[in-house]
Amino acid sequence: MHGHRMGGDADRLSVRPLSAEPRRRFASPPPLALYIHMPWCVRKCPYCDFNSHALRGGDRRVRAEPVPEQVYVDALLVDLDAELARAAARRPLVSVFIGGGTPSLFSGAAIARLLDGVRARAELADDAEITLEANPGTVDAGHFAGYAEAGVNRLSIGVQSLNDDALTRLGRIHSAADVRRTVMTARAAGIENLNLDLMFALPAQDLPAARADLEQLIALEPTHLSYYELTLEPNTAFYQRPPELPDPDLADAIQQQGLALLEASGFERYEVSAFAKPGRRCRHNLNYWRFGDYLGIGAGAHGKLTDPSSKMVERRAKMRHPDAYLAACELAGSSARDSSIGLAPDPSRSKHPVRACRAPGRSPVPEERCSLASADPTSSLRRLSDQDLTEEFALNAFRLLDGFSLGEFEGATGLRADWLEPGLEAAAQLGLVIGSGIGDDAVIRPSARGFAFLNELIGCFSS
């Protein structure tokens, strides 16, 4: 592609022809972040398809068996040691995101020990963003004070609705009053940078109800807001027994109403479902969408690492079941200690033997779902092909309203911009992209139509 118009009214773009240079070239590795997964929750929500495991005692605010803080933090730090050993280029961590599940089930002391362990092993950028996900109804003033003291400087609170009837239909354990108390308590603890999650197109929701929900959320004055449509995902209770949702026309009307209200309230839409006050974009998620690197530790966590020397980019996933993950990490930790004193590893010493694998509040799980004497919690490893890199970059970068430059594509993937040519041609013909500039500074953005039909746009880059 030596040049073409994109979207019909943009400046001409130019992509250099292929040369005899190596297929991949990384001038420097991308920024590095850390994702930490806490897999337990009080009760599994019927719409949730995340890797979360309900504790026994699913009544509101009741958990008969506490999360295993000590052993899980130990496992996370063993996992982090292995991840850092794999990271070919040591870089400061630009962000840390503690997600779940429900991380706010963990005490402030446990989060402090975890983050102290991270700091002892890795350098954090001076302005590192450290986010913890919290659910109303699972935290108190002591939790938030502990989180702030541990270094958490951003909270992401799963509100979902401020209508108590809607919350009941969604299977949530909190009330609207809990949300308001949680926000006040977080601010009293000194954490001002707050993201609030809100869903729309809920069962039995109409335009006035959706507007009232969003207006009440905006009144809480968050710095960031995630506003997204309820979808029925496979392997969820809602997928098996679907509730009656607003029809597509009503869902679209609710979304358009919400977008207008958010803009009028000073929130900038910078990603499909992310809205921020000035200077408050989520840096951790931006690193995902800009195809940066990130370590993933914890049961079911995913990571992506670039090795400039080998020119490889790999994705790694961890064992999803907490028992299998704990058993593998404990064996890995024992192996590391034994190696340091010259002993051979002994799997029989594990406190989480694979034949008696048990999560808090659960019956023993089948042996094949546990770590079979493995000292590595990795469940899958995939090295990305050139086509994988192109598709996955498009999948992430087109979620951003600002799009990306051709230079950013080359820097993040190591590929020449020519790899984008077939997809850009197809997307331009459909009016899904616009562009401006030339060479490395050329910027590609989703058009209004492309942003509305994002799956169609991303599909243009699939093989």
Side-chain angles (χ1 to χ4, degrees):
M1 177 178 68
H2 297 289
H4 70 269
R5 288 194 182 275
M6 309 197 66
D9 59 353
D11 293 335
R12 188 170 296 274
L13 290 167
S14 176
V15 179
R16 296 186 303 272
L18 287 169
S19 71
E21 294 178 358
R23 178 175 286 178
R24 295 184 188 175
R25 292 184 61 187
F26 293 98
S28 61
L32 183 65
L34 171 64
Y35 176 74
I36 304 172
H37 193 74
M38 307 301 217
W40 292 284
C41 57
V42 174
R43 185 171 65 203
K44 184 87 169 179
C45 295
Y47 57 83
C48 177
D49 68 337
F50 293 161
N51 184 42
S52 58
H53 301 260
L55 296 167
R56 186 172 60 198
D59 293 336
R60 189 173 182 268
R61 292 199 183 112
V62 175
R63 45 186 196 274
E65 196 167 358
V67 292
E69 291 186 339
Q70 178 76 26
V71 294
Y72 195 70
V73 172
D74 288 345
L76 289 172
L77 296 178
V78 168
D79 196 358
L80 179 59
D81 285 334
E83 285 293 319
L84 290 170
R86 296 184 187 105
R90 296 298 289 266
R91 294 150 274 174
L93 298 175
V94 297
S95 63
V96 178
F97 195 103
I98 306 173
T102 305
S104 51
L105 290 173
F106 284 72
S107 67
I111 298 301
R113 191 166 77 87
L114 170 61
L115 291 177
D116 285 346
V118 171
R119 293 185 190 96
R121 292 162 169 79
E123 178 186 358
L124 267 67
D126 292 339
D127 61 346
E129 175 189 86
I130 303 177
T131 301
L132 181 137
E133 287 185 338
N135 281 346
T138 64
V139 284
D140 55 26
H143 274 75
F144 279 141
Y147 299 154
E149 188 174 348
V152 172
N153 53 31
R154 183 176 184 272
L155 288 172
S156 182
I157 301 173
V159 176
Q160 313 315 351
S161 178
L162 283 161
N163 180 297
D164 284 340
D165 289 339
L167 288 168
T168 298
R169 285 190 287 267
L170 290 172
R172 302 294 291 179
I173 65 168
H174 66 266
S175 67
D178 289 330
V179 172
R180 296 184 177 92
R181 279 193 294 268
T182 297
V183 170
M184 290 177 59
T185 304
R187 290 198 171 112
I191 304 177
E192 295 287 342
N193 194 5
L194 302 179
N195 169 70
L196 303 182
D197 280 2
L198 189 76
M199 296 193 296
F200 66 88
L202 306 180
Q205 189 175 59
D206 57 16
L207 272 168
R211 183 177 184 89
D213 231 6
L214 186 52
E215 286 177 337
Q216 291 178 72
L217 198 77
I218 291 171
L220 295 174
E221 299 183 336
T223 55
H224 190 283
L225 200 151
S226 298
Y227 188 57
Y228 51 94
E229 183 176 354
L230 171 63
T231 56
L232 305 185
E233 302 293 343
N235 302 315
T236 65
F238 270 4
Y239 190 83
Q240 299 299 323
R241 297 178 297 279
E244 187 174 350
L245 300 178
D247 62 45
D249 288 342
L250 178 54
D252 182 65
I254 291 173
Q255 182 180 34
Q256 296 309 313
Q257 171 185 260
L259 294 178
L261 183 56
L262 286 164
E263 182 178 4
S265 303
F267 286 91
E268 174 199 20
R269 187 187 193 190
Y270 67 99
E271 188 265 348
V272 174
S273 58
F275 303 79
K277 291 289 189 176
R280 294 297 197 173
R281 295 182 176 190
C282 178
R283 280 182 271 161
H284 186 84
N285 285 344
L286 280 171
N287 187 59
Y288 291 151
W289 297 322
R290 290 171 176 162
F291 214 54
D293 279 356
Y294 51 98
L295 307 176
I297 62 172
H302 289 244
K304 168 186 170 287
L305 275 178
T306 302
D307 183 347
S309 60
S310 68
K311 301 179 173 55
M312 297 299 299
V313 180
E314 66 179 32
R315 288 196 179 277
R316 184 181 299 267
K318 302 299 169 62
M319 296 170 175
R320 290 175 58 85
H321 199 281
D323 295 320
Y325 175 82
L326 284 169
C329 287
E330 185 174 3
L331 185 54
S334 297
S335 297
R337 291 189 295 272
D338 290 346
S339 296
S340 68
I341 58 175
L343 296 177
D346 182 2
S348 67
R349 293 202 306 270
S350 173
K351 297 175 186 175
H352 298 271
V354 297
R355 295 183 186 276
C357 224
R358 184 186 298 272
R362 294 200 171 232
S363 301
V365 297
E367 181 176 343
E368 64 270 15
R369 292 175 59 190
C370 296
S371 168
L372 298 180
S374 169
D376 184 354
T378 299
S379 63
S380 67
L381 173 64
R382 184 167 64 95
R383 291 186 171 87
L384 303 187
S385 68
D386 294 346
Q387 182 59 35
D388 289 335
L389 289 169
T390 304
E391 291 181 17
E392 294 193 14
F393 181 92
L395 176 67
N396 286 278
F398 278 121
R399 295 184 64 89
L400 294 172
L401 199 60
D402 293 341
F404 59 93
S405 72
L406 296 182
E408 287 171 337
F409 170 80
E410 293 185 339
T413 64
L415 300 174
R416 305 282 290 186
D418 306 69
W419 273 90
L420 289 170
E421 179 180 348
L424 289 178
E425 292 281 6
Q429 290 174 8
L430 296 171
L432 300 175
V433 290
I434 56 177
S436 60
I438 59 173
D440 288 349
D441 294 328
V443 174
I444 316 296
R445 299 181 180 89
S447 66
R449 173 179 168 78
F451 217 50
F453 297 96
L454 195 58
N455 289 338
E456 185 178 359
L457 169 54
I458 293 169
C460 292
F461 296 85
S462 299
S463 56

